[in-house]
Amino acid sequence: MALSVYVAGLGHGAGKSTVALGLAELLSRQVGRVGVFRPLVTEPGADQTLRLLAERYRVELPVEELAGATYAEAAALVADGRREELISRIVERYRAVERRCPSVVVIGSDFDDAPETGHGGLPRELAFNARLATEFGAVLVPVLDGRGQDADAIGGAVRSAYHDCEDLGATVLAVIANRVPAPLRLPELPVPAYAIPDLPVVSAPTVAEVATALRATRLTGDDAALRRDVLGFVVGAAQVPTLLDHLVDGALMITPGDRADLLLAASAAHVAGQVSLAGLVLTLGIRPDDRVMRLVERLNTGLAVLSVRTDSFETVAASSRISGRLSVDNPRKVQTALGAFEERVDGEELARRLRVTRSVRVTPLMFENDLIERARGDRRRIVLPEGCDERILRATEILLRRGVADLTLLGDPAEVARRARELGVDVGRAEVVDPATAPCRDEFAAGYAQLRRHKGVRLELARDAVGDPNYFGTMMVATGRADGMVSGATRSTAATIRPAFEIIKTRPGVSVASSVFFMLLADRVLVYGDCAIIPDPDAGQLADIAVSSAETATRFGVEPRVAMLSYSTGTSGSGADVDKVAAATELVRKRRPDLLVEGPIQYDAAIDPQVAAAKLPGSAVAGRATVFVFPDLNTGNNTYKAVQRSAGAVAVGPVIQGLRRPVNDLSRGATVPDIVNTVAITAIQAAAEEQR
């Protein structure tokens, strides 16, 4: 039987999706595959929460198969007196998901008792969900809505929720009060109770959701404009000065379509940085003059302008009833919800209560989640020299919201702020430093000149050098102002690592800095080195790469069994290349007699137990290798790319190893998740170097 956690809301709009997302994230660190299920949906395949969780956790079943029945089907069965048939049908659909997944997060129903909801006659919601949780063999997490309630009311509701669920025969894992107005102490219960704060960015609808609910026509604005969060509403009916006094960040301005003055004023205020609006809605079905719309478009606000047929009063009334939902299309909201859950819910305590045994299988998502969790546990400051790059800014928002690291962005603060505002991302908690005007530039110049005096570097030349963001960021790391650096989204590998080689240098006992890629396969993580830095290492350098790679593997939870790769296994071949690998293997054994290492060995003998039994029987590494050391850069780089493309592996790296302090390089094709993972890795390396 799969481990199942059932999330049940006490009342409509309690925020079950945030809790379900947080629990799925927690479970994904413990087991190889997480499934999701909803007993009832409005329409098969259209449930946004199911789509989000199914995509995020790579559920292999179609979304349509992750639900038990539609609300209409359920109401019809109950009306005919066939309630048990409904329960049986839902349980059968759930078991089909359970058979495919070792763990399942169930998101309970969303109907109300009142007949006007359209689902009259359905069983009482909490009893219905408690019954299903019992049938599924699931532990129950009741979630209640704390909006607009004081501490006493929330505490009473938490106690009632627990006892009501117990009375219904459910096994309660924890009780969660969601969207509470402020931090509060919940009553002592036999199970943990947690309070998650009300975050407008999670509960607020997006412009797209408002547009859909209002059946609006989009006049301007791209998809990014539709993803902005609506934190409030401002009705434009007065004169321009009065309107400007009332515009606030995140507001959706609603005004009649014939008020060109207010449309232009709000657009100009947004572009000027006076306010950051969510969007604009024009009422009464009036489209502004084409000359006005052309001017609005030339202002390039990045905002959506919507048109509706209703008047302003009806539009505001309808908009205020719209609540936001977590969805695949809004990763920012997803990351914020996860951050809130992880900050206020004790994941370790819940994991203990769930009694989940960590699987020996390590999936990409498990590995990535472990990176985030470890980095959060020993938070470090990482400097990002490419502070104005869109991917860096989007990754910064995610990293800050999830508490992965403290960040310093390099760049002109005004330009960074402008770019963030254009993208609609929040990087306000990041430190922003301009290398051109920073007070420490002279100190860095003097330090760099001292380090490079043997190369004839004078103070003036040093001052120019440290004005370069990569050199400036590296000096921040060298002087302890940052714990590590991540760069390379817009610049070459050489531009990132050259300053590190000149300033930070390698650790004692390590002759060369090298790199590894973490290759995330479907069921395990392999370590490949060196695939990015040293073109043709000699035997001593190859031994250094092997030892460093084994240490890196250990640091990131991969038990090192080192394969020194060659075109020959054992003594089956000869030649200078084979001799180099054999010599390097002996050096590794002398330096680290505790390491399991085999070489020379071919790739197939290193990874395939059957081939290993034929080519190298009795080896502790052959067929079970986790760390693969390539004889040269040509072989390593081509192999990692071949495995990445042909086997569908996720390649995380390159992770640079052997330096006194961590500096890591990004591919110029790096995605936002790549940057998040690399920053987490760098933070973990920084913590390990300090412990060393």
Side-chain angles (χ1 to χ4, degrees), residues 342-386:
E342 290 167 345
E343 181 181 356
R344 297 301 176 91
V345 174
D346 188 338
E348 291 184 5
E349 182 180 33
L350 279 189
R352 286 194 300 270
R353 288 182 58 80
L354 284 165
R355 295 185 177 88
V356 179
T357 301
R358 180 178 284 274
S359 172
V360 295
R361 291 163 55 93
V362 181
T363 67
L365 191 59
M366 289 173 67
F367 183 78
E368 292 170 357
N369 281 330
D370 187 58
L371 291 180
I372 298 297
E373 191 64 24
R374 290 180 61 189
R376 290 177 73 242
D378 194 351
R379 191 156 165 166
R380 300 285 157 164
R381 178 167 292 280
I382 307 300
V383 58
L384 305 174
E386 297 150 313

Short mmCIF file of all heavy atoms in Angstrom, two decimals, residues 342-386:
data_model
loop_
_atom_site.label_atom_id
_atom_site.label_comp_id
_atom_site.label_asym_id
_atom_site.label_seq_id
_atom_site.Cartn_x
_atom_site.Cartn_y
_atom_site.Cartn_z
N GLU A 342 7.20 25.87 3.85
CA GLU A 342 8.45 25.37 4.41
C GLU A 342 8.93 26.20 5.60
O GLU A 342 9.61 25.69 6.49
CB GLU A 342 9.52 25.33 3.31
CG GLU A 342 9.24 24.25 2.27
CD GLU A 342 10.09 24.39 1.03
OE1 GLU A 342 10.70 25.47 0.85
OE2 GLU A 342 10.15 23.44 0.25
N GLU A 343 8.57 27.48 5.61
CA GLU A 343 8.99 28.35 6.71
C GLU A 343 8.22 28.05 7.99
O GLU A 343 8.77 28.10 9.09
CB GLU A 343 8.80 29.81 6.32
CG GLU A 343 9.23 30.79 7.41
CD GLU A 343 9.01 32.23 7.01
OE1 GLU A 343 8.58 32.49 5.86
OE2 GLU A 343 9.25 33.11 7.86
N ARG A 344 6.92 27.71 7.87
CA ARG A 344 6.07 27.60 9.06
C ARG A 344 5.73 26.16 9.45
O ARG A 344 5.18 25.93 10.52
CB ARG A 344 4.77 28.38 8.83
CG ARG A 344 4.99 29.87 8.63
CD ARG A 344 5.69 30.49 9.83
NE ARG A 344 5.98 31.89 9.62
CZ ARG A 344 5.17 32.88 9.97
NH1 ARG A 344 4.01 32.60 10.53
NH2 ARG A 344 5.53 34.13 9.75
N VAL A 345 6.01 25.20 8.58
CA VAL A 345 5.70 23.81 8.87
C VAL A 345 7.00 23.04 9.09
O VAL A 345 7.92 23.13 8.29
CB VAL A 345 4.88 23.17 7.72
CG1 VAL A 345 4.68 21.68 7.98
CG2 VAL A 345 3.54 23.87 7.58
N ASP A 346 7.08 22.32 10.19
CA ASP A 346 8.28 21.55 10.53
C ASP A 346 8.31 20.28 9.68
O ASP A 346 7.68 19.26 10.02
CB ASP A 346 8.27 21.21 12.01
CG ASP A 346 9.57 20.57 12.48
OD1 ASP A 346 10.30 20.01 11.64
OD2 ASP A 346 9.86 20.64 13.68
N GLY A 347 9.05 20.34 8.57
CA GLY A 347 9.09 19.21 7.65
C GLY A 347 9.70 17.96 8.26
O GLY A 347 9.24 16.85 8.00
N GLU A 348 10.73 18.13 9.08
CA GLU A 348 11.35 16.97 9.71
C GLU A 348 10.38 16.27 10.66
O GLU A 348 10.33 15.03 10.71
CB GLU A 348 12.61 17.40 10.46
CG GLU A 348 13.74 17.85 9.55
CD GLU A 348 15.00 18.17 10.33
OE1 GLU A 348 15.00 17.97 11.56
OE2 GLU A 348 15.97 18.63 9.70
N GLU A 349 9.64 17.05 11.40
CA GLU A 349 8.66 16.45 12.32
C GLU A 349 7.59 15.68 11.56
O GLU A 349 7.22 14.55 11.93
CB GLU A 349 8.02 17.55 13.17
CG GLU A 349 7.02 17.01 14.19
CD GLU A 349 6.40 18.12 15.02
OE1 GLU A 349 6.22 19.22 14.47
OE2 GLU A 349 6.09 17.89 16.19
N LEU A 350 7.10 16.28 10.47
CA LEU A 350 6.08 15.59 9.68
C LEU A 350 6.64 14.32 9.06
O LEU A 350 5.97 13.29 9.00
CB LEU A 350 5.53 16.51 8.59
CG LEU A 350 4.46 17.52 9.01
CD1 LEU A 350 3.88 18.19 7.78
CD2 LEU A 350 3.34 16.85 9.81
N ALA A 351 7.89 14.41 8.57
CA ALA A 351 8.51 13.23 7.95
C ALA A 351 8.64 12.09 8.97
O ALA A 351 8.41 10.92 8.65
CB ALA A 351 9.88 13.59 7.39
N ARG A 352 9.01 12.44 10.20
CA ARG A 352 9.10 11.41 11.25
C ARG A 352 7.73 10.78 11.50
O ARG A 352 7.60 9.56 11.65
CB ARG A 352 9.65 12.00 12.54
CG ARG A 352 11.14 12.30 12.52
CD ARG A 352 11.67 12.56 13.92
NE ARG A 352 11.01 13.70 14.54
CZ ARG A 352 11.45 14.94 14.45
NH1 ARG A 352 12.52 15.22 13.71
NH2 ARG A 352 10.82 15.93 15.05
N ARG A 353 6.72 11.62 11.55
CA ARG A 353 5.39 11.10 11.81
C ARG A 353 4.87 10.23 10.66
O ARG A 353 4.12 9.29 10.87
CB ARG A 353 4.42 12.25 12.08
CG ARG A 353 4.64 12.92 13.44
CD ARG A 353 3.61 14.03 13.67
NE ARG A 353 2.24 13.53 13.60
CZ ARG A 353 1.60 12.89 14.57
NH1 ARG A 353 2.23 12.65 15.71
NH2 ARG A 353 0.36 12.49 14.41
N LEU A 354 5.27 10.57 9.48
CA LEU A 354 4.85 9.77 8.34
C LEU A 354 5.57 8.43 8.28
O LEU A 354 5.13 7.51 7.61
CB LEU A 354 5.12 10.54 7.04
CG LEU A 354 4.13 11.66 6.72
CD1 LEU A 354 4.69 12.57 5.63
CD2 LEU A 354 2.80 11.09 6.28
N ARG A 355 6.72 8.35 8.98
CA ARG A 355 7.52 7.11 9.01
C ARG A 355 7.82 6.63 7.58
O ARG A 355 7.60 5.46 7.23
CB ARG A 355 6.80 6.01 9.79
CG ARG A 355 6.64 6.33 11.27
CD ARG A 355 6.02 5.15 12.00
NE ARG A 355 5.93 5.42 13.42
CZ ARG A 355 4.90 6.01 13.99
NH1 ARG A 355 3.89 6.41 13.25
NH2 ARG A 355 4.87 6.21 15.29
N VAL A 356 8.30 7.56 6.77
CA VAL A 356 8.65 7.20 5.40
C VAL A 356 10.11 6.76 5.36
O VAL A 356 10.98 7.45 5.84
CB VAL A 356 8.47 8.41 4.46
CG1 VAL A 356 8.86 8.05 3.04
CG2 VAL A 356 7.03 8.87 4.51
N THR A 357 10.35 5.59 4.84
CA THR A 357 11.73 5.13 4.65
C THR A 357 12.25 5.69 3.35
O THR A 357 11.63 5.54 2.30
CB THR A 357 11.78 3.59 4.60
OG1 THR A 357 11.24 3.08 5.82
CG2 THR A 357 13.21 3.10 4.43
N ARG A 358 13.40 6.37 3.42
CA ARG A 358 13.97 6.97 2.21
C ARG A 358 14.33 5.87 1.22
O ARG A 358 15.01 4.90 1.53
CB ARG A 358 15.21 7.78 2.55
CG ARG A 358 15.85 8.43 1.34
CD ARG A 358 17.03 9.27 1.75
NE ARG A 358 16.61 10.52 2.36
CZ ARG A 358 16.32 11.62 1.65
NH1 ARG A 358 16.42 11.61 0.34
NH2 ARG A 358 15.95 12.72 2.26
N SER A 359 13.86 6.04 0.01
CA SER A 359 14.12 5.07 -1.03
C SER A 359 15.59 5.06 -1.43
O SER A 359 16.28 6.07 -1.35
CB SER A 359 13.25 5.40 -2.26
OG SER A 359 13.62 4.58 -3.34
N VAL A 360 16.08 3.87 -1.83
CA VAL A 360 17.45 3.81 -2.35
C VAL A 360 17.52 4.45 -3.73
O VAL A 360 18.59 4.79 -4.21
CB VAL A 360 17.96 2.36 -2.40
CG1 VAL A 360 18.07 1.78 -1.01
CG2 VAL A 360 17.05 1.48 -3.26
N ARG A 361 16.40 4.57 -4.38
CA ARG A 361 16.35 5.27 -5.66
C ARG A 361 16.44 6.77 -5.41
O ARG A 361 15.79 7.31 -4.53
CB ARG A 361 15.02 4.97 -6.39
CG ARG A 361 14.90 3.54 -6.89
CD ARG A 361 13.46 3.22 -7.20
NE ARG A 361 12.88 4.15 -8.14
CZ ARG A 361 12.84 3.99 -9.46
NH1 ARG A 361 13.40 2.92 -9.98
NH2 ARG A 361 12.27 4.87 -10.25
N VAL A 362 17.25 7.43 -6.19
CA VAL A 362 17.40 8.88 -6.08
C VAL A 362 17.01 9.48 -7.42
O VAL A 362 17.74 9.36 -8.40
CB VAL A 362 18.84 9.28 -5.71
CG1 VAL A 362 18.93 10.80 -5.58
CG2 VAL A 362 19.26 8.61 -4.42
N THR A 363 15.85 10.09 -7.49
CA THR A 363 15.37 10.68 -8.73
C THR A 363 15.88 12.11 -8.86
O THR A 363 16.33 12.71 -7.87
CB THR A 363 13.83 10.69 -8.76
OG1 THR A 363 13.38 11.60 -7.73
CG2 THR A 363 13.27 9.30 -8.48
N PRO A 364 15.80 12.68 -10.06
CA PRO A 364 16.22 14.08 -10.20
C PRO A 364 15.51 15.02 -9.24
O PRO A 364 16.15 15.89 -8.64
CB PRO A 364 15.86 14.39 -11.66
CG PRO A 364 15.98 13.07 -12.36
CD PRO A 364 15.49 12.06 -11.35
N LEU A 365 14.21 14.85 -9.08
CA LEU A 365 13.48 15.76 -8.20
C LEU A 365 13.91 15.58 -6.74
O LEU A 365 14.05 16.56 -6.00
CB LEU A 365 11.97 15.52 -8.33
CG LEU A 365 11.07 16.57 -7.68
CD1 LEU A 365 11.35 17.95 -8.26
CD2 LEU A 365 9.61 16.20 -7.85
N MET A 366 14.16 14.33 -6.32
CA MET A 366 14.64 14.11 -4.96
C MET A 366 15.99 14.79 -4.75
O MET A 366 16.24 15.41 -3.72
CB MET A 366 14.75 12.61 -4.68
CG MET A 366 13.43 11.89 -4.54
SD MET A 366 13.62 10.09 -4.42
CE MET A 366 14.43 9.96 -2.83
N PHE A 367 16.88 14.65 -5.73
CA PHE A 367 18.21 15.26 -5.61
C PHE A 367 18.10 16.78 -5.55
O PHE A 367 18.72 17.42 -4.70
CB PHE A 367 19.06 14.84 -6.81
CG PHE A 367 20.48 15.36 -6.76
CD1 PHE A 367 21.43 14.76 -5.95
CD2 PHE A 367 20.85 16.45 -7.52
CE1 PHE A 367 22.74 15.24 -5.91
CE2 PHE A 367 22.15 16.95 -7.47
CZ PHE A 367 23.09 16.33 -6.67
N GLU A 368 17.29 17.36 -6.44
CA GLU A 368 17.15 18.82 -6.47
C GLU A 368 16.51 19.33 -5.18
O GLU A 368 16.92 20.36 -4.64
CB GLU A 368 16.33 19.23 -7.69
CG GLU A 368 17.07 18.97 -9.01
CD GLU A 368 16.18 19.14 -10.23
OE1 GLU A 368 14.97 19.39 -10.06
OE2 GLU A 368 16.70 19.00 -11.35
N ASN A 369 15.52 18.62 -4.69
CA ASN A 369 14.88 19.03 -3.44
C ASN A 369 15.86 18.94 -2.27
O ASN A 369 15.84 19.77 -1.35
CB ASN A 369 13.65 18.17 -3.15
CG ASN A 369 12.44 18.62 -3.96
OD1 ASN A 369 12.30 19.78 -4.29
ND2 ASN A 369 11.58 17.69 -4.29
N ASP A 370 16.71 17.91 -2.30
CA ASP A 370 17.70 17.77 -1.23
C ASP A 370 18.69 18.94 -1.26
O ASP A 370 19.11 19.43 -0.21
CB ASP A 370 18.45 16.44 -1.39
CG ASP A 370 19.38 16.18 -0.22
OD1 ASP A 370 18.90 16.13 0.92
OD2 ASP A 370 20.59 16.03 -0.45
N LEU A 371 19.06 19.38 -2.47
CA LEU A 371 19.94 20.55 -2.58
C LEU A 371 19.31 21.76 -1.91
O LEU A 371 19.96 22.46 -1.11
CB LEU A 371 20.20 20.88 -4.05
CG LEU A 371 21.04 19.92 -4.88
CD1 LEU A 371 21.17 20.44 -6.31
CD2 LEU A 371 22.41 19.71 -4.27
N ILE A 372 18.05 22.02 -2.22
CA ILE A 372 17.36 23.19 -1.66
C ILE A 372 17.31 23.09 -0.14
O ILE A 372 17.59 24.05 0.58
CB ILE A 372 15.94 23.30 -2.24
CG1 ILE A 372 15.98 23.49 -3.77
CG2 ILE A 372 15.18 24.43 -1.57
CD1 ILE A 372 16.64 24.76 -4.22
N GLU A 373 16.96 21.90 0.35
CA GLU A 373 16.80 21.72 1.79
C GLU A 373 18.14 21.90 2.51
O GLU A 373 18.21 22.55 3.56
CB GLU A 373 16.22 20.33 2.08
CG GLU A 373 15.76 20.12 3.49
CD GLU A 373 14.61 21.01 3.89
OE1 GLU A 373 13.87 21.46 2.99
OE2 GLU A 373 14.46 21.27 5.10
N ARG A 374 19.20 21.35 1.96
CA ARG A 374 20.52 21.47 2.61
C ARG A 374 21.02 22.90 2.59
O ARG A 374 21.61 23.38 3.56
CB ARG A 374 21.51 20.52 1.95
CG ARG A 374 21.23 19.06 2.22
CD ARG A 374 22.22 18.16 1.54
NE ARG A 374 23.58 18.42 2.01
CZ ARG A 374 24.67 17.90 1.45
NH1 ARG A 374 24.54 17.11 0.39
NH2 ARG A 374 25.87 18.16 1.92
N ALA A 375 20.80 23.58 1.48
CA ALA A 375 21.24 24.98 1.40
C ALA A 375 20.45 25.84 2.39
O ALA A 375 21.02 26.73 3.05
CB ALA A 375 21.07 25.51 -0.02
N ARG A 376 19.17 25.60 2.53
CA ARG A 376 18.35 26.35 3.48
C ARG A 376 18.81 26.09 4.92
O ARG A 376 18.72 26.96 5.78
CB ARG A 376 16.87 25.96 3.35
CG ARG A 376 16.21 26.44 2.07
CD ARG A 376 14.78 25.96 1.97
NE ARG A 376 13.92 26.69 2.89
CZ ARG A 376 13.23 26.14 3.89
NH1 ARG A 376 13.32 24.84 4.10
NH2 ARG A 376 12.48 26.87 4.67
N GLY A 377 19.31 24.88 5.19
CA GLY A 377 19.70 24.51 6.54
C GLY A 377 20.95 25.21 7.03
O GLY A 377 21.19 25.29 8.23
N ASP A 378 21.81 25.68 6.11
CA ASP A 378 23.04 26.39 6.49
C ASP A 378 23.22 27.54 5.50
O ASP A 378 24.03 27.49 4.60
CB ASP A 378 24.24 25.44 6.46
CG ASP A 378 25.46 26.03 7.15
OD1 ASP A 378 25.42 27.23 7.50
OD2 ASP A 378 26.45 25.30 7.35
N ARG A 379 22.42 28.57 5.70
CA ARG A 379 22.25 29.61 4.68
C ARG A 379 23.52 30.43 4.48
O ARG A 379 24.17 30.84 5.45
CB ARG A 379 21.10 30.52 5.12
CG ARG A 379 20.64 31.49 4.06
CD ARG A 379 19.22 31.89 4.35
NE ARG A 379 18.79 33.05 3.60
CZ ARG A 379 17.52 33.41 3.49
NH1 ARG A 379 16.60 32.70 4.09
NH2 ARG A 379 17.18 34.48 2.80
N ARG A 380 23.88 30.65 3.23
CA ARG A 380 25.10 31.36 2.86
C ARG A 380 24.77 32.53 1.94
O ARG A 380 23.68 32.60 1.37
CB ARG A 380 26.06 30.41 2.15
CG ARG A 380 26.48 29.23 3.02
CD ARG A 380 27.46 29.64 4.08
NE ARG A 380 27.47 28.73 5.21
CZ ARG A 380 28.44 28.68 6.11
NH1 ARG A 380 29.47 29.51 6.00
NH2 ARG A 380 28.37 27.85 7.11
N ARG A 381 25.77 33.41 1.77
CA ARG A 381 25.61 34.53 0.84
C ARG A 381 26.35 34.22 -0.45
O ARG A 381 27.55 33.93 -0.44
CB ARG A 381 26.13 35.84 1.43
CG ARG A 381 26.01 37.02 0.43
CD ARG A 381 26.22 38.36 1.08
NE ARG A 381 25.13 38.68 1.99
CZ ARG A 381 23.95 39.16 1.62
NH1 ARG A 381 23.70 39.39 0.32
NH2 ARG A 381 23.02 39.42 2.52
N ILE A 382 25.64 34.29 -1.55
CA ILE A 382 26.20 34.01 -2.87
C ILE A 382 26.11 35.28 -3.73
O ILE A 382 25.07 35.95 -3.73
CB ILE A 382 25.46 32.85 -3.57
CG1 ILE A 382 25.41 31.62 -2.65
CG2 ILE A 382 26.10 32.52 -4.91
CD1 ILE A 382 26.75 31.06 -2.25
N VAL A 383 27.17 35.60 -4.43
CA VAL A 383 27.18 36.78 -5.29
C VAL A 383 26.93 36.35 -6.74
O VAL A 383 27.49 35.36 -7.22
CB VAL A 383 28.51 37.56 -5.17
CG1 VAL A 383 29.72 36.71 -5.52
CG2 VAL A 383 28.48 38.82 -6.03
N LEU A 384 26.05 37.10 -7.42
CA LEU A 384 25.68 36.84 -8.82
C LEU A 384 26.08 38.06 -9.64
O LEU A 384 25.40 39.09 -9.58
CB LEU A 384 24.18 36.57 -8.93
CG LEU A 384 23.62 35.45 -8.05
CD1 LEU A 384 22.11 35.39 -8.14
CD2 LEU A 384 24.22 34.11 -8.44
N PRO A 385 27.17 37.98 -10.40
CA PRO A 385 27.66 39.16 -11.11
C PRO A 385 26.75 39.68 -12.22
O PRO A 385 26.83 40.84 -12.59
CB PRO A 385 29.01 38.69 -11.69
CG PRO A 385 29.43 37.58 -10.79
CD PRO A 385 28.15 36.88 -10.42
N GLU A 386 25.89 38.83 -12.78
CA GLU A 386 25.06 39.22 -13.92
C GLU A 386 23.68 39.67 -13.43
O GLU A 386 22.64 39.10 -13.75
CB GLU A 386 24.95 38.05 -14.89
CG GLU A 386 26.32 37.66 -15.46
CD GLU A 386 26.44 36.19 -15.81
OE1 GLU A 386 26.06 35.35 -14.98
OE2 GLU A 386 26.92 35.89 -16.91
#
